[in-house]
Every structure is written in structure tokens, then in C-alpha cells.
Amino acid sequence: MKAINKMLCLVDGEHYLPVTQQAIDTLNNLEHIDVAGAVFIGGTEKLRDDSEETYSQKLGVPVQFAEDKDIPYDIIVSMIRQYNIDTVMDLSDEPILDYPKRFKIACSVLNEGISYEGPDFKFEPVSQYDIMKKPSITILGTGKRIGKTAVSGFVSRLIDKNNYEPCVIAMGRGGPSEPEIVHGEELEITSKFLLEQSEKGIHAASDHWEDALMSRILTIGCRRCGGGMAGEVFLTNMKKGAKLANEVDSKLAIFEGSGAAIPPIKTDKKITLVGANQPIETVTGYFGPYRISLGDLIILTMCEEPMASKDKIAKIEEFIQEINPDAPIISTVFRPKPLEDISGKNVLFATTAPEGVKDKLVQYLEKNYKCKIIGTTSHLSNRPLLREDMKKYMDNADVMLSELKAAAVDVATKDAINAGLDVVYCDNIPIPINDTYPDLSKTIINLVNSAIDNFDNQI
């Protein structure tokens, strides 16, 4: 027997009351729908009577009014919880609700774990399958190229060093058709090894290979296709990957998002990455607030000029604090860390970092790793431009230093080896922009301990 869908309707005083009443009656007459309440979210100044009791009687359901001219987001959430609502149905319209207000309502509703819909739209919270039989955390982000894999690697190494024995489950747009285990703790993952994998048709720069190389722990590679506005994927084999994670020899699982897509696995704690380089409306509008609200720790990345000004960083931090006041916020930059010694070498450096920060990265590498950067390219994601850049500098280079991203294996590694260069991969390390923030390592360890406590308390 199909369960009853308890519904909360959003209505306004712009509509003639008998019309609103007919709409609610229409919903109530549908099988399996029970309208449990209504919120007048605006336009109440046009009503003849401002009594909630009067309109509760007229509409036949409990009614609450907005107390002022602002949209009553808090009342919507309160009624969802009071009446155990399954769906919020929007029967309002312009001028009471515009697009930004509707997205804000959607974020509030989805954060309650229920759907928000109207005459021609429906938004649902991201699927969270309850599969895990060991403590787990999720690393998700508000967009692409904001450093999820780098942070995942940092988290993995940190908690592995502290004897938590993690594994990483990553989903990528080039991931395998069946979940693939890579024993990063056992394999010697060299440039030639990755090139051999690439020539077999494997996407050897996929996230789980990067995780295995950078963290030297067991990783499980999954694939995904599509990414919905709130983070749902159209297709993924991560459920299978999660079941594998239950079976492998690890004590804690780390699920890594892809782009703005969120892993569809229920975990004990979540880290949300926010890119300060993103358009601010992407962070503060649309479904940015939804993703931010999911995080138990917020790591703000790319916090430097020209990607983000101090003023922009401060505005984003203030917004995050408003949306998710209980989550620690740590603003960071990334700095490269070669996995092998490159001191005294002439280096060609390939990165996904934008042109505007290349000079900072070059200075950092030369100062900290005693090398000479003779050329750089920011075109790891553009194969033709990457090849053009490499041709300019390869004759004068000893080493190809590359992030393990995009065309790092099938172009950068392959062409460098053919030219007689050594190939060294580099990690990206998140570093807080100043010492006013909580200690990043301690904060992550505290979150992991909290995830373990959550898991143990549910057993």
C-alpha cells in the first residue's frame, strides 16, 4: 500500500482565497496526498482578515502567516518539523516569490530531507543510501576544480598517519565500469606504470589513481554520469563501491565527491569545500547554501589574488557563518609538493592552477625544493594547448613535474618520457591563509573522532 504523502502548501494573499482553497482541495482529493498545513508567505495585507484561525477554517488546514515582509523561512522549517511533512508544494507566484527566494526555500526544505515542488519543478534532497558498516566521512564541494581530491589526499594521509587506517572511495566522470580497488599501500605507482595503464584504455589520471598515488592507501574507483542542481547523479556505481569498502581491510571510509556532485552514501560526518574562486552567486545562491549546510567542517579554498580578493573571502566566510554557524571555517591556499626530489633540476611544471597564480607557485617550488622552473603550463585540461606549451620548454628541461589531473598521463607523461625527461608528480597541500583559523590537522582529527563516535552510538 502506498504511503500517505503529507504536504505543506506555500500560499499567498495575491491569489483570491477561493482559488487557493480550490487548489488545496484539488491536492487533498488526490490519492495518497494529505495537505497538513499552509504558510501564507506574503501578500497578507490584501486579505480581509489577518486571523490565522479564520483562514485555517476557510482552507481546512492549519495556517501560519509571515510575521513581516520577509519570506518566513523559519516558519516553513518549523511547520515541516511540527507536522512531519514529506513534501512542500509551492502554490505561490510572482511578485511574492522570485527565483532567488525560491532557491533559498529549496535549500531550507532539502536540508530537512524532503522535496520541494511546484507546478513545473521538483527538487529532491540528494540520495543517501544507508550502507556503511564502518565509520565514514564525505568530502563534497560546491563546484569543479576547487581541490576536493587534494583535500581528500591531505585528509587521508593525516588520518592514516594517526593510525585510523582509511580507504578512499572516489567517483569520477572517467571512472571504471565496475568499482576498482587500487592498493596504493602496496603498488609502486610510477609514471611508467600509469602510462601502461593508460595505454590499456584505463583513465590513469582518474581521482582514485591520484588518491592512491598521493596518499599510498587503498582506494576504490567508481564512475558517475551527470550532476543535478542539488548534487544528485544520474548514474553511478558508488553503491557497489561502498559495499566493497565494507569488505576491505580498513577501519574508516572516505567518500569523495566529483565536481558539485555529492556521493549518494550516508556517512557520519561531512566536509564541504567552497571555492573562493567561484562566482559569489554560485556560493551564496542556487544550491550553494544547501551544500554548505551539509558540512560539519567548511574548508574555503583558492583564497588568494587574483582568484579571490580579501573582501570576497570575508563576504563568503560571513555567509557561511550565517548558513552553518556550528561548522568550523578554515580558509586556505594550495601549494605544490613534489613526490620525489627535484633539487638542482631544470623543471617543466604542469598544473591546473590558473595563469594568475603561476608565479606564486613557481616561487614556492624554487624556494622550497631548490629547483629551477624553466617553463610552466596551466593547460592540463586542454590537450592541444598542453602539447604546444610542452614543446616550448622540453629541450631545456630535465624533469616534467605534473599534477595527476586530466591529460597528465596520456599527454604530459607520455610526451615527456618520449623526450627523455624524468616524470615526477606533485601533490597540492591545503595551507590556512593565516594563524587566526583553527588548526587544520587538529580540526580534521576531531571531526574523524566525532564520526567514529556517531557510528559507535548507532550500533
Coordinates of all heavy atoms in Angstrom, one line a residue, residues 180-242:
E180 N 36.8 -0.4 -8.8 CA 38.1 -0.9 -9.0 C 38.9 -0.6 -7.7 O 39.0 0.5 -7.3 CB 38.8 -0.3 -10.2 CG 40.2 -0.6 -10.4 CD 40.8 0.1 -11.6 OE1 40.6 1.4 -11.7 OE2 41.4 -0.5 -12.4
I181 N 39.5 -1.7 -7.2 CA 40.4 -1.5 -6.0 C 41.8 -1.3 -6.5 O 42.3 -2.0 -7.3 CB 40.3 -2.7 -5.1 CG1 38.9 -2.9 -4.5 CG2 41.3 -2.6 -4.0 CD1 38.7 -4.1 -3.6
V182 N 42.4 -0.2 -6.0 CA 43.8 0.1 -6.2 C 44.5 0.0 -4.9 O 44.2 0.8 -4.0 CB 44.0 1.4 -6.9 CG1 45.5 1.7 -7.1 CG2 43.3 1.4 -8.3
H183 N 45.5 -0.9 -4.7 CA 46.2 -1.0 -3.5 C 47.4 0.0 -3.4 O 48.5 -0.4 -3.6 CB 46.7 -2.4 -3.3 CG 45.6 -3.4 -2.9 ND1 45.2 -3.5 -1.6 CD2 44.9 -4.2 -3.7 CE1 44.2 -4.4 -1.6 NE2 44.0 -4.9 -2.8
G184 N 47.0 1.2 -3.2 CA 48.1 2.3 -3.1 C 49.1 2.0 -2.0 O 50.2 2.5 -2.1
E185 N 48.7 1.2 -1.0 CA 49.7 0.9 0.1 C 50.7 -0.2 -0.3 O 51.7 -0.4 0.4 CB 48.9 0.5 1.3 CG 48.4 -0.9 1.4 CD 47.1 -1.2 0.5 OE1 46.8 -0.4 -0.4 OE2 46.5 -2.2 0.8
E186 N 50.4 -0.8 -1.5 CA 51.3 -1.9 -1.9 C 51.9 -1.7 -3.2 O 53.1 -2.0 -3.4 CB 50.5 -3.2 -2.0 CG 49.8 -3.7 -0.7 CD 48.9 -4.9 -0.9 OE1 48.8 -5.4 -2.0 OE2 48.4 -5.4 0.1
L187 N 51.2 -1.1 -4.2 CA 51.7 -0.9 -5.5 C 52.8 0.2 -5.6 O 52.7 1.2 -4.8 CB 50.6 -0.4 -6.5 CG 49.6 -1.5 -7.0 CD1 48.5 -0.8 -7.8 CD2 50.4 -2.5 -7.9
E188 N 53.8 0.0 -6.4 CA 54.8 1.0 -6.7 C 54.2 1.8 -8.0 O 54.3 1.3 -9.1 CB 56.1 0.5 -7.0 CG 57.2 1.6 -7.3 CD 58.6 1.0 -7.6 OE1 58.7 -0.2 -7.6 OE2 59.5 1.8 -7.9
I189 N 53.6 2.9 -7.7 CA 52.9 3.6 -8.8 C 53.8 4.6 -9.4 O 54.0 5.7 -8.9 CB 51.6 4.3 -8.3 CG1 50.7 3.3 -7.6 CG2 50.8 5.0 -9.4 CD1 49.4 3.8 -7.0
T190 N 54.5 4.3 -10.5 CA 55.4 5.1 -11.2 C 54.7 5.8 -12.4 O 53.6 5.4 -12.8 CB 56.6 4.4 -11.6 OG1 56.2 3.4 -12.6 CG2 57.3 3.7 -10.4
S191 N 55.4 6.7 -13.0 CA 54.9 7.3 -14.2 C 54.8 6.3 -15.4 O 53.8 6.3 -16.1 CB 55.9 8.4 -14.7 OG 57.2 8.0 -14.8
K192 N 55.8 5.4 -15.4 CA 55.7 4.3 -16.5 C 54.6 3.4 -16.2 O 53.9 2.9 -17.2 CB 57.0 3.6 -16.5 CG 58.2 4.4 -17.1 CD 59.5 3.6 -17.2 CE 60.6 4.5 -17.8 NZ 61.9 3.8 -17.9
F193 N 54.3 3.1 -14.9 CA 53.2 2.2 -14.6 C 51.9 2.8 -15.0 O 51.0 2.2 -15.6 CB 53.2 1.9 -13.1 CG 52.0 1.1 -12.6 CD1 52.0 -0.3 -12.7 CD2 50.9 1.8 -12.1 CE1 50.9 -1.0 -12.2 CE2 49.8 1.1 -11.6 CZ 49.8 -0.3 -11.7
L194 N 51.7 4.1 -14.7 CA 50.5 4.8 -15.0 C 50.3 4.9 -16.6 O 49.2 4.8 -17.1 CB 50.4 6.2 -14.4 CG 50.2 6.3 -12.9 CD1 50.3 7.7 -12.4 CD2 48.9 5.6 -12.5
L195 N 51.4 5.1 -17.3 CA 51.3 5.2 -18.7 C 50.9 3.8 -19.3 O 50.1 3.8 -20.2 CB 52.7 5.6 -19.3 CG 52.8 5.8 -20.8 CD1 51.7 6.8 -21.3 CD2 54.2 6.2 -21.2
E196 N 51.4 2.7 -18.7 CA 51.0 1.4 -19.1 C 49.5 1.2 -18.9 O 48.8 0.7 -19.8 CB 51.7 0.3 -18.4 CG 53.2 0.2 -18.8 CD 54.0 -0.7 -17.8 OE1 53.3 -1.3 -16.9 OE2 55.2 -0.9 -18.0
Q197 N 49.0 1.7 -17.8 CA 47.5 1.6 -17.5 C 46.7 2.4 -18.6 O 45.7 2.0 -19.1 CB 47.2 2.1 -16.1 CG 47.9 1.4 -15.0 CD 47.7 -0.1 -15.0 OE1 46.6 -0.6 -15.1 NE2 48.8 -0.9 -15.1
S198 N 47.2 3.6 -18.9 CA 46.6 4.5 -19.8 C 46.5 3.8 -21.2 O 45.5 3.9 -21.9 CB 47.3 5.8 -19.9 OG 46.7 6.7 -20.9
E199 N 47.6 3.2 -21.6 CA 47.7 2.5 -22.9 C 46.8 1.3 -23.0 O 46.5 0.8 -24.1 CB 49.1 2.2 -23.3 CG 49.9 3.5 -23.6 CD 51.4 3.2 -23.7 OE1 51.9 2.1 -23.4 OE2 52.1 4.1 -24.2
K200 N 46.3 0.8 -21.8 CA 45.4 -0.3 -21.8 C 43.9 0.2 -21.9 O 43.0 -0.6 -21.9 CB 45.5 -1.1 -20.5 CG 46.8 -1.9 -20.4 CD 46.9 -2.5 -19.0 CE 48.2 -3.3 -18.8 NZ 48.3 -3.8 -17.4
G201 N 43.8 1.6 -21.9 CA 42.4 2.2 -22.0 C 41.9 2.6 -20.7 O 40.7 3.1 -20.6
I202 N 42.7 2.5 -19.6 CA 42.3 3.0 -18.3 C 42.5 4.4 -18.2 O 43.6 4.9 -18.6 CB 43.0 2.2 -17.2 CG1 42.6 0.7 -17.3 CG2 42.8 2.7 -15.8 CD1 43.5 -0.2 -16.4
H203 N 41.6 5.2 -17.5 CA 41.8 6.6 -17.3 C 42.7 6.7 -16.0 O 42.3 6.8 -14.9 CB 40.5 7.3 -17.0 CG 40.6 8.8 -16.8 ND1 41.6 9.5 -17.3 CD2 39.8 9.6 -16.0 CE1 41.4 10.8 -16.9 NE2 40.4 10.8 -16.1
A204 N 44.0 6.7 -16.3 CA 45.0 6.6 -15.2 C 45.2 7.9 -14.4 O 45.9 7.9 -13.5 CB 46.3 6.1 -15.8
A205 N 44.5 8.9 -14.8 CA 44.5 10.2 -14.0 C 43.2 10.4 -13.3 O 42.9 11.4 -12.8 CB 44.8 11.4 -14.9
S206 N 42.4 9.3 -13.3 CA 41.1 9.4 -12.5 C 41.4 9.6 -11.1 O 42.5 9.3 -10.6 CB 40.3 8.1 -12.8 OG 39.0 8.2 -12.4
D207 N 40.4 10.1 -10.3 CA 40.6 10.5 -9.0 C 41.2 9.4 -8.1 O 42.0 9.7 -7.2 CB 39.3 11.1 -8.4 CG 38.9 12.4 -9.0 OD1 39.8 13.0 -9.7 OD2 37.8 12.8 -8.8
H208 N 40.7 8.2 -8.2 CA 41.1 7.1 -7.3 C 42.6 6.7 -7.5 O 43.3 6.4 -6.6 CB 40.2 5.9 -7.4 CG 40.3 5.1 -8.7 ND1 39.9 5.6 -9.9 CD2 40.7 3.9 -8.9 CE1 40.0 4.7 -10.8 NE2 40.6 3.6 -10.3
W209 N 43.1 6.9 -8.8 CA 44.5 6.7 -9.0 C 45.3 7.8 -8.4 O 46.4 7.6 -7.8 CB 44.8 6.6 -10.5 CG 44.5 5.3 -11.1 CD1 43.4 5.0 -11.9 CD2 45.2 4.1 -11.0 NE1 43.4 3.7 -12.2 CE2 44.5 3.1 -11.7 CE3 46.4 3.8 -10.4 CZ2 45.0 1.8 -11.8 CZ3 46.9 2.5 -10.5 CH2 46.2 1.5 -11.2
E210 N 44.8 9.1 -8.5 CA 45.5 10.2 -7.8 C 45.5 10.0 -6.3 O 46.6 10.2 -5.7 CB 44.8 11.5 -8.2 CG 45.5 12.7 -7.5 CD 44.8 14.0 -7.9 OE1 43.9 14.1 -8.7 OE2 45.2 15.1 -7.3
D211 N 44.4 9.5 -5.8 CA 44.4 9.3 -4.3 C 45.4 8.2 -3.9 O 46.1 8.3 -2.9 CB 42.9 8.9 -3.9 CG 41.9 10.0 -4.0 OD1 42.3 11.1 -3.6 OD2 40.8 9.7 -4.3
A212 N 45.4 7.1 -4.7 CA 46.3 6.0 -4.4 C 47.8 6.5 -4.5 O 48.6 6.1 -3.6 CB 46.1 4.9 -5.3
L213 N 48.1 7.3 -5.5 CA 49.5 7.8 -5.6 C 49.9 8.8 -4.5 O 51.0 8.7 -4.0 CB 49.6 8.4 -7.0 CG 51.0 9.1 -7.3 CD1 52.1 8.1 -7.3 CD2 50.9 9.9 -8.6
M214 N 49.0 9.7 -4.3 CA 49.3 10.8 -3.3 C 49.3 10.3 -1.9 O 50.1 10.7 -1.0 CB 48.4 12.0 -3.5 CG 48.3 12.6 -4.9 SD 50.0 13.1 -5.4 CE 49.6 13.6 -7.1
S215 N 48.4 9.4 -1.6 CA 48.2 9.0 -0.2 C 48.7 7.7 0.2 O 48.9 7.3 1.4 CB 46.6 9.0 0.1 OG 46.1 10.2 -0.2
R216 N 49.0 6.8 -0.8 CA 49.6 5.5 -0.6 C 48.6 4.7 0.3 O 49.1 4.0 1.3 CB 51.0 5.6 0.0 CG 52.0 6.2 -0.9 CD 52.1 5.4 -2.2 NE 53.2 5.9 -3.1 CZ 53.5 5.5 -4.3 NH1 52.8 4.5 -4.8 NH2 54.5 6.0 -5.0
I217 N 47.3 4.8 0.1 CA 46.4 3.9 0.8 C 45.5 3.2 -0.2 O 45.5 3.5 -1.4 CB 45.5 4.8 1.8 CG1 44.6 5.7 1.0 CG2 46.4 5.5 2.8 CD1 43.6 6.4 1.9
L218 N 44.7 2.3 0.3 CA 43.8 1.6 -0.6 C 42.7 2.5 -1.1 O 42.1 3.3 -0.3 CB 43.2 0.4 0.1 CG 42.3 -0.5 -0.6 CD1 42.3 -1.9 0.0 CD2 40.8 -0.1 -0.7
T219 N 42.4 2.5 -2.4 CA 41.4 3.4 -3.0 C 40.4 2.5 -3.8 O 40.8 1.4 -4.3 CB 41.9 4.5 -3.9 OG1 42.5 3.9 -5.0 CG2 43.0 5.3 -3.1
I220 N 39.2 2.9 -3.9 CA 38.2 2.3 -4.7 C 37.7 3.3 -5.8 O 37.1 4.3 -5.4 CB 37.1 1.7 -3.9 CG1 37.6 0.7 -2.9 CG2 36.0 1.0 -4.8 CD1 36.6 0.2 -1.9
G221 N 37.8 3.0 -7.0 CA 37.4 3.9 -8.1 C 36.0 3.5 -8.6 O 35.7 2.4 -8.8
C222 N 35.2 4.6 -8.7 CA 33.8 4.4 -9.2 C 33.6 5.4 -10.3 O 34.4 6.4 -10.5 CB 32.8 4.6 -8.1 SG 33.0 3.5 -6.7
R223 N 32.5 5.3 -11.0 CA 32.2 6.3 -12.1 C 30.9 7.0 -11.8 O 30.0 6.5 -11.0 CB 32.1 5.6 -13.4 CG 31.0 4.6 -13.6 CD 30.8 4.1 -15.0 NE 32.1 3.9 -15.7 CZ 32.1 3.3 -16.9 NH1 31.0 3.0 -17.6 NH2 33.3 3.1 -17.5
R224 N 30.7 8.1 -12.4 CA 29.4 8.7 -12.3 C 29.1 9.5 -13.6 O 30.1 9.9 -14.3 CB 29.3 9.7 -11.1 CG 30.3 10.9 -11.2 CD 29.6 12.2 -11.6 NE 30.5 13.3 -11.5 CZ 30.2 14.5 -11.9 NH1 29.1 14.8 -12.5 NH2 31.1 15.5 -11.8
C225 N 27.9 9.7 -13.9 CA 27.5 10.5 -15.1 C 26.4 11.5 -14.7 O 25.4 11.1 -14.0 CB 27.0 9.6 -16.3 SG 26.6 10.6 -17.7
G226 N 26.6 12.7 -15.0 CA 25.6 13.7 -14.7 C 25.7 14.3 -13.3 O 26.2 13.6 -12.4
G227 N 25.2 15.5 -13.1 CA 25.2 16.1 -11.8 C 24.0 17.1 -11.8 O 24.0 18.0 -12.5
G228 N 23.1 16.8 -10.9 CA 21.9 17.6 -10.8 C 22.2 18.9 -10.0 O 23.3 19.1 -9.5
M229 N 21.2 19.8 -10.0 CA 21.4 21.1 -9.4 C 21.8 21.0 -7.9 O 22.5 21.8 -7.4 CB 20.2 22.0 -9.7 CG 20.0 22.3 -11.1 SD 18.5 23.2 -11.4 CE 18.9 24.8 -10.8
A230 N 21.2 20.0 -7.2 CA 21.4 19.9 -5.8 C 22.5 18.8 -5.5 O 22.8 18.6 -4.4 CB 20.1 19.5 -5.1
G231 N 23.0 18.2 -6.6 CA 24.1 17.3 -6.4 C 23.9 15.8 -6.7 O 24.7 15.0 -6.5
E232 N 22.6 15.5 -7.1 CA 22.3 14.1 -7.4 C 23.0 13.7 -8.7 O 23.2 14.5 -9.6 CB 20.8 13.9 -7.6 CG 20.3 12.5 -7.8 CD 20.3 11.7 -6.5 OE1 20.4 12.3 -5.4 OE2 20.2 10.5 -6.6
V233 N 23.4 12.4 -8.8 CA 24.0 12.0 -10.1 C 23.0 11.1 -10.8 O 22.1 10.5 -10.2 CB 25.3 11.1 -9.8 CG1 26.3 12.0 -9.2 CG2 25.0 9.9 -8.9
F234 N 23.1 11.1 -12.1 CA 22.2 10.3 -12.9 C 22.6 8.8 -12.9 O 21.7 7.9 -12.7 CB 22.2 10.7 -14.4 CG 21.4 9.8 -15.3 CD1 20.0 9.8 -15.3 CD2 22.0 8.9 -16.2 CE1 19.3 9.0 -16.1 CE2 21.3 8.1 -17.0 CZ 19.9 8.1 -17.0
L235 N 23.9 8.5 -12.9 CA 24.3 7.1 -12.9 C 25.6 7.1 -12.1 O 26.5 7.9 -12.2 CB 24.6 6.7 -14.4 CG 25.2 5.3 -14.6 CD1 24.7 4.8 -15.9 CD2 26.8 5.4 -14.7
T236 N 25.7 6.1 -11.2 CA 26.9 5.8 -10.5 C 27.0 4.4 -10.0 O 25.9 3.8 -9.8 CB 27.1 6.8 -9.3 OG1 28.4 6.6 -8.8 CG2 26.1 6.6 -8.3
N237 N 28.1 3.8 -9.9 CA 28.3 2.5 -9.2 C 28.9 2.6 -7.8 O 29.5 1.7 -7.3 CB 29.1 1.6 -10.1 CG 30.5 2.2 -10.5 OD1 30.9 3.2 -10.0 ND2 31.1 1.5 -11.4
M238 N 28.7 3.8 -7.2 CA 29.3 4.0 -5.9 C 28.6 3.2 -4.8 O 29.3 2.9 -3.8 CB 29.2 5.5 -5.5 CG 30.1 5.9 -4.4 SD 30.2 7.7 -4.1 CE 32.0 7.9 -4.2
K239 N 27.4 2.8 -5.0 CA 26.7 1.9 -4.0 C 27.5 0.6 -4.0 O 27.8 0.1 -2.9 CB 25.3 1.6 -4.4 CG 24.3 2.8 -4.1 CD 22.9 2.5 -4.6 CE 22.2 1.4 -3.8 NZ 20.8 1.2 -4.2
K240 N 27.9 0.1 -5.1 CA 28.8 -1.1 -5.2 C 30.1 -0.8 -4.5 O 30.7 -1.7 -3.8 CB 29.0 -1.6 -6.6 CG 27.8 -2.2 -7.2 CD 28.2 -2.8 -8.6 CE 27.0 -3.5 -9.3 NZ 27.4 -4.0 -10.6
G241 N 30.6 0.4 -4.8 CA 31.9 0.8 -4.2 C 31.8 0.8 -2.7 O 32.8 0.4 -2.0
A242 N 30.7 1.3 -2.2 CA 30.5 1.4 -0.7 C 30.5 0.0 -0.1 O 31.0 -0.3 1.0 CB 29.2 2.1 -0.4

